Amino acid sequence: MAEGGFESIINDIEKEIECGICLMQIKSAKLLNCLHTFCENCLDRITKRGFISCPYCHAITELPEEGVKGLSPNFFFNRIADIINTKTGSKPTEESICGNCDCGQTVQFYCDDCKHFLCGSCTDCHNKMKFLSGHHIVDLTKFSSKDFQIFIGKPGECKKHIKEELKLFCEDCKQCICITCNVIEHRNHKCLYLQEAASMQTKYLKQIMEKAEENKSQLSKKIQELKQKSLIIQRKAQQTIDFLKASTEKLMQIIRDHVETVECDIEKEVKNNLESISETESSISANISKVNEFLKFAKDILSRGCSTEIVELEGILNKRFSELEIEGTAAGQGNSSSFHISYKLNDKVIDALQAIGRVQRSSTQPEKCTFEGDCCATVDQESFFYVVTRNENGEIVHNEDDCVSVELSEKAKGTPARAVIPVNIEGNGEGKYKVSFVPRST
């Protein structure tokens, strides 16, 4: 707590005792089971059928028979509120004028026993009175955290008997009482001095705090385990995605290679056919040239009109025509077959690609894991068996965060005790673990 005089300390504390319901200074502070504190009247307004749902954390607090009034008070908050209210009540103006006299002086001191703020004159009068000589008076200009702790640590006053300090604790009623309460209402009850009860409770509270620290440590460790598990999950997910992309790329490369091969086959087929067509076209063109020569020769004979020439060359012309006819027929029949090319999909491959893979969501189930191998072992010779990790469906599964442990023991003849056999466990990264050991006795 920061030093800085009474005003500074009270201002800091005043901010901490604000009710989360009415947003004002807490009045008659009551504790819920979740250890959150609110005004008694505010809690009365939100009570539902014998229980209260905390406005902060929504934890449920079952109310005692007395209702909200029976809830445990927050002594610290109530003590602070009393001090603040006392100061406020003696400060009619912003200048903190003393309200105990008419001199108009500013308050400078506080008597924790009288519960009053005093000016210098009132303090002088207070100190002159012998029956007030034992009171604890603090100079507000030198008010420190230590003084504040003294205020807070002083026993409270009994709510039933004015000016009576709470000095006893009734174990039967589980409440702090004054001497008068002990005589009148708790005469036959088991009561302890407040300091004695507080000492016992302090010891018990420290034990609880140690257990709470242990629980906190375990929970913190669990959080670290969960964070580690989250990292493993993220890493596995990324590895799966990388594997998916690599596998897909491999398939795509196979398809690209296939496309390239098929394109080469098609181009080769087209080239062969085009070359064949070109050769046929050249042959036909050559035949046409020969036919043109034949026609020109025949036209020239006819144009000259020489009967002898016409008759004499009949045999040669007929023979040449026959030759050209045969050549033309042969040339026309070259590459006579029609060209047809297409691509036939492999339906089985298409069906397989539809189910190319799937995401496996599985975790190792200890009760599903199996034991494989020969149960026989020879003394002083290495033996082994396998532990196979499986998921809920009995399928072999491997998880990086799996921790496989095996404990083997042997019992020698004539001795009741069992000795632990050291084992060596090696995993193959696919859910199968080889457990090796060397037995020392039969």
Side-chain angles (χ1 to χ4, degrees):
M1 186 181 298
E3 301 290 337
F6 181 82
E7 291 287 349
S8 175
I9 293 176
I10 290 300
N11 288 338
D12 290 341
I13 293 297
E14 194 171 11
K15 297 173 184 177
E16 298 179 13
I17 62 169
E18 182 182 274
C19 175
I21 299 176
C22 65
L23 303 180
M24 298 177 66
Q25 179 187 309
I26 287 181
K27 297 178 181 178
S28 186
K30 291 291 183 179
L31 267 173
L32 298 180
N33 291 346
C34 56
L35 305 182
H36 288 135
T37 303
F38 302 93
C39 299
E40 181 178 331
N41 290 338
C42 291
L43 291 176
D44 265 328
R45 294 201 304 270
I46 64 172
T47 300
K48 298 179 181 179
R49 299 179 182 178
F51 70 90
I52 292 177
S53 176
C54 176
Y56 287 152
C57 65
H58 306 296
I60 300 299
T61 297
E62 298 288 342
L63 293 177
E65 293 182 0
E66 303 91 331
V68 174
K69 195 173 187 67
L71 292 174
S72 298
N74 188 320
F75 295 100
F76 174 74
F77 277 33
N78 286 332
R79 181 71 169 153
I80 293 297
D82 287 343
I83 295 176
I84 293 174
N85 291 336
T86 300
K87 184 169 191 310
T88 303
S90 67
K91 192 177 77 169
T93 67
E94 291 184 0
E95 288 77 21
S96 300
I97 303 301
C98 179
N100 302 301
C101 64
D102 297 325
C103 64
Q105 296 183 27
T106 303
V107 294
Q108 293 178 300
F109 303 90
Y110 176 74
C111 178
D112 188 42
D113 296 278
C114 297
K115 304 293 187 294
H116 278 293
F117 288 89
L118 309 169
C119 64
S121 298
C122 289
T123 302
D124 291 338
C125 294
H126 179 286
N127 292 336
K128 291 177 181 179
M129 299 180 185
K130 291 184 178 181
F131 70 96
L132 301 178
S133 61
H135 286 198
H136 181 236
I137 297 178
V138 178
D139 185 342
L140 297 183
T141 61
K142 301 177 181 179
F143 193 83
S144 66
S145 299
K146 184 178 179 180
D147 295 316
F148 181 79
Q149 293 299 330
I150 292 175
F151 283 174
I152 298 303
K154 289 181 69 66
E157 292 184 353
C158 180
K159 298 296 183 183
K160 295 182 179 180
H161 306 101
I162 300 175
K163 298 296 182 180
E164 287 279 354
E165 284 189 0
L166 298 173
K167 293 186 176 181
L168 303 171
F169 178 74
C170 178
E171 287 197 331
D172 296 332
C173 301
K174 301 297 180 186
Q175 67 181 60
C176 298
I177 59 175
C178 67
I179 299 297
T180 305
C181 288
N182 183 40
V183 174
I184 298 175
E185 301 176 14
H186 303 264
R187 180 179 301 173
N188 298 320
H189 293 183
K190 183 179 179 180
C191 296
L192 300 172
Y193 283 109
L194 202 56
Q195 290 297 329
E196 182 182 358
S199 178
M200 294 173 59
Q201 182 61 22
T202 298
K203 183 178 179 180
Y204 175 68
L205 184 57
K206 287 182 178 179
Q207 293 175 348
I208 294 178
M209 289 174 66
E210 287 179 2
K211 291 182 179 179
E213 285 291 345
E214 290 178 4
N215 292 338
K216 175 185 172 183
S217 178
Q218 291 176 358
L219 292 173
S220 297
K221 184 178 179 181
K222 186 64 177 177
I223 287 178
Q224 293 302 319
E225 290 176 355
L226 291 174
K227 287 182 177 179
Q228 186 64 26
K229 191 172 184 178
S230 297
L231 292 175
I232 291 174
I233 290 173
Q234 293 175 18
R235 186 171 69 250
K236 283 185 176 180
Q238 189 58 51
Q239 288 174 349
T240 302
I241 292 173
D242 292 342
F243 177 76
L244 170 64
K245 290 181 177 179
S247 301
T248 304
E249 178 58 30
K250 186 176 180 179
L251 290 173
M252 292 298 294
Q253 187 59 47
I254 292 174
I255 292 174
R256 284 193 291 267
D257 292 343
H258 175 71
V259 169
E260 185 177 343
T261 300
V262 173
E263 283 183 345
C264 289
D265 291 343
I266 293 174
E267 290 173 358
K268 184 177 179 180
E269 188 68 24
V270 169
K271 180 181 178 182
N272 292 337
N273 275 268
L274 291 178
E275 288 177 352
S276 177
I277 290 174
S278 179
E279 290 175 0
T280 303
E281 184 180 359
S282 298
S283 178
I284 292 174
S285 296
N287 186 262
I288 291 174
S289 297
K290 292 177 182 180
V291 171
N292 288 332
E293 290 178 359
F294 172 82
L295 291 173
K296 182 178 181 302
F297 187 82
K299 286 179 181 179
D300 289 343
I301 292 174
L302 292 176
S303 64
R304 288 194 293 269
C306 177
S307 298
T308 303
E309 187 179 16
I310 294 174
V311 174
E312 287 290 339
L313 295 178
E314 177 186 3
I316 294 175
L317 291 174
N318 285 335
K319 182 180 179 182
R320 183 56 179 164
F321 175 75
S322 297
E323 290 174 351
L324 293 175
E325 188 176 29
I326 293 172
E327 290 178 5
T329 302
Q333 290 178 347
N335 200 273
S336 59
S337 60
S338 60
F339 176 76
H340 176 75
I341 192 168
S342 63
Y343 181 76
K344 174 63 176 175
L345 283 173
N346 188 330
D347 294 334
K348 292 182 179 180
V349 173
I350 298 300
D351 293 340
L353 287 174
Q354 297 297 327
I356 190 173
R358 62 187 177 88
V359 177
Q360 288 185 325
R361 301 176 181 86
S362 61
S363 58
T364 304
Q365 300 295 320
E367 65 276 6
K368 295 288 186 178
C369 296
T370 57
F371 162 90
E372 296 179 0
D374 192 352
C375 295
C376 297
T378 304
V379 176
D380 294 333
Q381 290 187 12
E382 185 178 72
S383 303
F384 64 88
F385 59 88
Y386 294 95
V387 172
V388 182
T389 51
R390 300 180 183 275
N391 60 17
E392 60 274 10
N393 298 321
E395 301 169 333
I396 297 178
V397 65
H398 171 71
N399 289 308
E400 289 183 16
D401 53 342
D402 283 345
C403 181
V404 177
S405 61
V406 177
E407 183 176 313
L408 296 179
S409 62
E410 58 185 358
K411 180 181 178 183
K413 289 183 178 180
T415 59
R418 301 187 68 88
V420 176
I421 304 175
V423 298
N424 180 55
I425 302 175
E426 295 180 0
N428 65 352
E430 297 179 358
K432 198 169 186 178
Y433 297 82
K434 181 180 180 180
V435 182
S436 304
F437 64 99
V438 179
R440 299 304 179 188
S441 62
T442 56

